[in-house]
Amino acid sequence: MDTTFSQAAWLIPLFPLAAFLLLLAFGRSSRMIGVLLGSVSSLAGFVLSLLVLIEHMTKGQHDYQYAVKWIDTGSIVFKAGFEVTNLTALMLVVVTAVSFLVNVYSAGYMKGDERISVFYSYVALFTFSMLGLVLADNMLTLYVFWELVGVCSFLLVGFWFSKPEARAAAKKAFIVTRIGDAGLLLGILLLYWYMPDHALDFVRIGNAFEGGTGVIAASVTTWIAILIFIGAVGKSGQFPLHVWLPDAMEGPTPISALIHAATMVAAGVYLVARTFDIFQASQTAMDIVAYIGGFTAIFAATIGVAQNDIKRILAYSTVSQLGYMMMALGLNSMTGGIFHLFTHAFFKALLFLGAGSVIHAVHTQNIQEMGGLGSKMKITAWTFGIGALALSGIPPFSGFWSKDMILNIAYHEKPALFVIGVVAAFFTAFYMARLFFLVFMGKPKGERHAHESPPSMTGPLIVLAVLAVVAGFVQTPWNDTLGNWLTDGAEQENGGGGLVMVISAAIGLLGLYMGWLVFVKGMISRDFVSSRAPWLVRLLERKYYIDELYEAAIVRPLRALGGLLNGIDDYVVDGLVRAAGGAAFLIGRGGTRMQNGQVQTYGLITAFALVILIAAVALRRFW
Amino acid sequence: MLSSYLTMAAILFCIGLYGALTKRNAVIVLLSIELMLNAVNLNLVAFSKYGVVPSLTGQMFTLFSIAVAAAEAAVGIAVLIALYRARGTVNVDDYDEMRR
C-alpha cells in the first residue's frame, strides 16, 4: 500500500503559511508580491492536494494518520497530527482549488487597493487555517484551527474597516460565531470526559460510537452531538445563528466567495460529517440536525426573494444551501451533504465572483440600479447564468444532481422535509431568476460605461463555470462513485428516484419561468404581492425581524447589564481605589501644612500626640 | 501630701508648656522651658520624700539637674544672642530655617 503523497499531506497547509509569513515580512516592499506569493502557494497546495486525492481514488480506502506529542501533562498526553481520509482529500482539493482561483481573481478585483498585500496575507492565513482544520486528526487541533478561521473571517470582513458597517459586521460575525464555538468547546470537553482514555482523535471517536452500541450512555451521546452541532450552526450560518452571514458581505467580494460561501461556512458541515459516527449513534441529534437544516433552507430562501443587495441575495442563498447540506446529514446521508458541499463550493464561488465582477463594473450592489449588463459583460453574464442554473437545480448542471440526491433521500425518509426542500428549491430558482434578469437583462440604468472585467477575473469565472457544469457527474442516480468512495460502500443511493428527479427539475424550471414572467415579460406585475400583502414583503425585507428581535431580546439587555457593571466598576471599585489614594493624598497634604518650620507648632503637635497616647493607654484599663 | 506636690508640679509644667508653645519672644520661651524643668525637679523631690521607697537619690538627682539646667540656660542664652546678632530678631516665628 503506497501512501507517499498522503504522508506528505502535512505540507499542504504549510505553503500558505509560508506565504503568510513572507508577506508579513516583505509585503510592504512591492504590490505584486502578494499576488505572486498567494497564487503560487495556493497552486502548490492545490497540486499536492490533487495528488493526494488521485492517490486515494486509485488505491482504495486507506486512511493515513500521523500524530506527534503535543502537550504532555504527565497523566494525559495530547497529540497533534493529521489524518488523510477520503473526505479529507476531497475537502483539501475543494479548498485549495477555490483558494487558488480567488487568489488569481483578487489580483484584478483588489488591484487599486492600497493594502493589497495585507489582503493577500490574510487570505493566505485563512487558507492555512482552513487546510489545518480539514487535516486535523483530533478534536482539539480542529478546534484550534476552527478558531483561527474565525479570526481570519473577522479580519477579512472588517478589511475595509474605515466603513462603520464593515466594522459592525466583523464584530457581529465574530461574536455570533463565538456562541457556536462555545457549544463546540463544551462538546469537546464532554467528549474528553467520557471517552475511554480521554482520546479525542477521530479514529477512536469513530470506534467508540460505531454502530450506536456505544461505550458512552445514550443521553450523553445526544448531548455531545447537539453541542458539536451548535458549533456547526454558528459556523455554517444555520438558524438561529445565521444572522452574521449576510452582514459578512461587507467584506471584499472575493472573500465572500472564498470564506463565506465556499469553504469556511462549509466547515460546520464538514465537522458534522467528520464526527458523523457520534451523530449516527443518536437519533434525536440526527432529527435536530435534519429539521434545523430543513427549516434554515426554506427560511433563508424566502428572505432571499425580497432582498435587493446582490451579495445579500447570494448570502441568503448560501445559508439556504447550507441548510440543505445539514438536512442531508440529518437524514443519515453523509454522501448527500458532502456532495452538495462539493458542488455548492464551485457554483457559489462562481456566483460570488461573478457578482464581484458586476460590482467592479457598476460600483453598486443594488440590483434595482442595474440592468442590461448582459450585452456589455458577456463572459460574466454567461458564467453567472451557468452558476444560477446550477444553483436553481436545472439538469444537467451540478447543483441539480446534489440537490436531487438530497430531495430523494428526504422523499424516502421524511416526506415533510421533502416538501420543505421542494418549496425552498422553488424559491431558490425564483430569486436566482429575479437576480439574473434584473442584473443582466432589461434596460441599462445608472452606470453607462460598464465594461467587462480583466482576464484575471474572467479566467477564474470560466474555470469555475466548467466545474459548476461537470462537478455533478461524480454522483448521479446511475452512478454511485462518490458515495461508494466516501463511505466505503456503506451508504447506497436509494435508487429509483425518477419521480423525485422530475419533480426537482420541474420545480426549478417553474421557479425560473415565474421569474421570467415577472421580471422579463411583465405578465405578472412586480407589485403583485406587495400591493396585496405589503406586510409580507416588509416581513421578508426585514428578514423576519430576527435582527430586531435579537437586538431587543439579547443585545439591549446585555448592553444594559454591561452598562450597569461598568458603572459599578467606575463608581464602586474605582471609587474605593480613588478613596484610598485620596486619603493618602489628604494625609500627605496635612503633613506638609504641619511642617512649617515653626518649632512651636512641632512642640504643640508632639504634646497633643503625647496626650492622646497617654489617654489611650489610660483608657485601656477600663476596657 | 504627695498629690498636692504633684498637682503643683503639673500646674507649673502646664504653664511652662503653654509659654513655650505660645510666646513669640525667644527669651520667654527659654524661661518657660526652665519652668517645665523645675516642675520636673519638684516631682523628683516630692517622690524622694513621700514615694513608696523614700531615699535621698531623688534629691541628689535634683541638685544635679539644677546644675545642668544652669549650664543649659547659659548655652541657650548664648545661642539666642548669636541668633539675634545674625537675624536681628528674637521673634521665634522668624526662626523657620527648618522648613527650607
Side-chain angles (χ1 to χ4, degrees):
Chain A
M1 213 184 264
D2 188 16
T3 55
T4 330
F5 293 120
S6 297
Q7 281 175 3
W10 59 277
L11 282 169
I12 298 171
L14 294 188
F15 292 120
L17 179 66
F20 168 69
L21 293 175
L22 285 172
L23 279 175
L24 213 58
F26 307 111
R28 284 165 190 278
S29 57
S30 149
R31 295 175 63 80
M32 281 309 289
I33 188 169
V35 182
L36 201 67
L37 277 174
S39 309
V40 167
S41 70
S42 52
L43 182 63
F46 174 65
V47 170
L48 191 49
S49 306
L50 207 58
L51 290 172
V52 170
L53 181 70
I54 290 168
E55 187 177 272
H56 270 256
M57 285 201 305
T58 52
K59 303 207 176 81
Q61 184 98 358
H62 48 86
D63 299 347
Y64 179 80
Q65 188 200 2
Y66 180 78
V68 291
K69 204 182 276 182
W70 181 23
I71 303 168
D72 189 350
T73 62
S75 53
I76 298 150
V77 178
F78 291 107
K79 287 184 154 191
F82 70 98
E83 184 184 15
V84 186
T85 64
N86 288 349
L87 173 63
T88 312
L90 186 70
M91 282 297 284
L92 284 177
V93 171
V94 172
V95 172
T96 47
V98 178
S99 170
F100 170 62
L101 292 171
V102 164
N103 268 296
V104 173
Y105 179 90
S106 303
Y109 191 83
M110 301 295 287
K111 201 171 181 197
D113 201 286
E114 275 177 26
R115 294 164 64 235
I116 186 167
S117 291
V118 180
F119 175 83
Y120 269 97
S121 70
Y122 288 167
V123 173
L125 181 62
F126 168 77
T127 312
F128 159 68
S129 319
M130 188 67 205
L131 292 170
L133 191 158
V134 169
L135 277 171
D137 78 324
N138 66 60
M139 288 296 273
L140 208 59
T141 338
L142 181 133
Y143 185 71
V144 172
F145 286 111
W146 180 270
E147 293 294 349
L148 259 177
V149 291
V151 169
C152 295
S153 164
F154 169 79
L155 289 172
L156 285 162
V157 172
F159 183 71
W160 287 318
F161 52 73
S162 49
K163 277 199 302 181
E165 301 89 30
R167 283 203 299 271
K171 274 190 285 186
K172 189 172 180 183
F174 197 70
I175 293 168
V176 174
T177 48
R178 285 294 319 162
I179 299 170
D181 297 350
L184 176 58
L185 182 60
L186 287 178
I188 294 174
L189 289 176
L190 207 58
L191 199 59
Y192 170 80
W193 196 256
Y194 281 100
M195 273 296 284
D197 286 344
H198 298 308
L200 282 174
D201 54 315
F202 293 116
V203 176
R204 279 196 279 178
I205 289 173
N207 290 338
F209 288 94
E210 191 93 63
T213 47
V215 208
I216 295 166
S219 59
V220 178
T221 308
T222 305
W223 274 111
I224 293 173
I226 289 174
L227 285 168
I228 291 177
F229 181 59
I230 290 174
V233 164
K235 213 50 135 200
S236 286
Q238 298 295 290
F239 180 85
L241 297 180
H242 65 283
V243 288
W244 68 273
L245 190 52
D247 283 17
M249 298 303 132
E250 291 295 339
T253 309
I255 290 315
S256 307
L258 175 63
I259 300 185
H260 304 119
T263 57
M264 187 193 83
V265 290
V269 178
Y270 173 76
L271 176 68
V272 174
R274 201 79 167 86
T275 56
F276 208 49
D277 290 315
I278 306 179
F279 284 87
Q280 280 177 320
S282 164
Q283 191 52 46
T284 324
M286 285 299 252
D287 288 347
I288 291 175
V289 175
Y291 283 110
I292 293 261
F295 180 72
T296 309
I298 190 162
F299 173 81
T302 51
I303 297 177
V305 173
Q307 298 297 311
N308 281 327
D309 183 317
I310 184 170
K311 284 176 73 183
R312 273 179 191 259
I313 297 173
L314 293 176
Y316 277 109
S317 121
T318 306
V319 173
S320 162
Q321 299 306 310
L322 289 165
Y324 272 108
M325 297 172 205
M326 285 297 183
M327 190 168 94
L329 291 174
L331 294 171
N332 204 5
S333 166
M334 184 157 112
T335 318
I338 296 301
F339 182 34
H340 199 49
L341 191 165
F342 176 67
T343 56
H344 175 259
F346 295 126
F347 64 70
K348 189 50 71 64
L350 166 64
L351 285 171
F352 265 110
L353 294 184
S357 175
V358 169
I359 295 167
H360 192 69
V362 298
H363 303 291
T364 174
Q365 299 195 6
N366 190 341
I367 55 170
Q368 303 289 355
E369 295 169 11
M370 303 174 190
L373 292 173
S375 53
K376 290 173 183 159
M377 309 175 69
K378 284 219 164 53
I379 302 177
T380 306
W382 274 102
T383 51
F384 196 93
I386 290 171
L389 289 174
L391 176 59
S392 309
I394 307 298
F397 297 99
S398 60
F400 168 74
W401 303 110
S402 51
K403 202 179 281 185
D404 172 61
M405 182 178 176
I406 294 173
L407 291 176
N408 192 20
I409 295 154
Y411 180 74
H412 289 278
E413 300 277 330
K414 289 199 168 66
L417 284 176
F418 171 71
V419 175
I420 290 178
V422 168
V423 176
F426 168 75
F427 281 118
T428 307
F430 182 73
Y431 67 64
M432 281 322 290
R434 171 175 180 261
L435 178 58
F436 186 81
F437 293 139
L438 279 179
V439 172
F440 293 105
M441 314 279 266
K443 291 195 188 75
K445 296 172 218 164
E447 195 80 22
R448 297 280 157 193
H449 32 266
H451 52 84
E452 186 58 275
S453 302
S456 64
M457 287 166 75
T458 50
L461 287 180
I462 295 166
V463 175
L464 282 169
V466 171
L467 285 169
V469 175
V470 302
F473 291 106
V474 295
Q475 167 85 23
T476 59
W478 309 282
N479 170 11
D480 255 352
T481 321
L482 182 75
N484 273 332
W485 178 72
L486 207 55
T487 60
D488 203 11
E491 273 180 23
Q492 296 295 336
E493 171 84 359
N494 282 316
L499 175 67
V500 177
M501 207 147 76
V502 172
I503 294 177
S504 131
I507 206 82
L509 287 170
L510 180 68
L512 291 182
Y513 182 63
M514 291 281 284
W516 186 71
L517 283 184
V518 175
F519 294 102
V520 180
K521 291 283 280 184
M523 270 178 65
I524 306 173
S525 162
R526 287 186 199 186
D527 309 329
F528 184 76
V529 180
S530 58
S531 57
R532 282 167 183 74
W535 59 270
L536 183 65
V537 174
R538 210 164 51 241
L539 184 70
L540 293 179
E541 266 177 3
R542 305 299 304 159
K543 313 145 200 162
Y544 293 102
Y545 293 97
I546 296 282
D547 275 333
E548 284 80 356
L549 180 73
Y550 286 173
E551 177 78 26
I554 297 167
V555 178
R556 288 255 176 78
L558 278 179
R559 279 244 169 89
L561 182 67
L564 181 72
L565 292 177
N566 192 27
I568 290 178
D569 184 46
D570 270 359
Y571 294 105
V572 179
V573 179
D574 281 11
L576 277 173
V577 172
R578 270 199 296 268
F585 180 72
L586 280 180
I587 290 171
R589 214 162 59 180
T592 15
R593 186 160 300 164
M594 280 179 214
Q595 193 186 0
N596 58 0
Q598 297 294 336
V599 171
Q600 288 180 323
T601 319
Y602 298 168
L604 189 64
I605 293 162
T606 315
F608 265 124
L610 203 62
V611 169
I612 291 168
L613 208 64
I614 291 167
V617 171
L619 282 178
R620 264 186 59 185
R621 286 183 161 194
F622 303 109
W623 261 324
Chain B
M1 278 312 276
L2 178 64
S3 61
S4 51
Y5 283 101
L6 292 187
T7 313
M8 170 71 180
I11 291 167
L12 257 183
F13 186 86
C14 285
I15 293 170
L17 187 64
Y18 176 77
L21 293 181
T22 56
K23 291 300 164 191
R24 293 284 170 267
N25 191 326
V27 180
I28 298 181
V29 171
L30 211 59
L31 286 181
S32 304
I33 291 170
E34 292 301 317
L35 220 52
M36 288 158 73
L37 206 66
N38 282 324
V40 174
N41 288 343
L42 202 57
N43 268 8
L44 288 174
V45 176
F47 278 118
S48 80
K49 179 77 179 165
Y50 300 107
V52 185
V53 193
S55 86
L56 272 180
T57 321
Q59 296 189 22
M60 296 297 293
F61 209 83
T62 307
L63 284 173
F64 183 66
S65 160
I66 288 170
V68 173
E72 176 248 304
V75 173
I77 295 287
V79 169
L80 262 185
I81 290 167
L83 255 177
Y84 176 70
R85 281 186 184 152
R87 307 284 306 270
T89 174
V90 288
N91 190 344
V92 280
D93 283 351
D94 296 335
Y95 299 159
D96 56 356
E97 276 85 1
M98 267 162 62
R99 192 165 59 171
R100 282 171 229 159

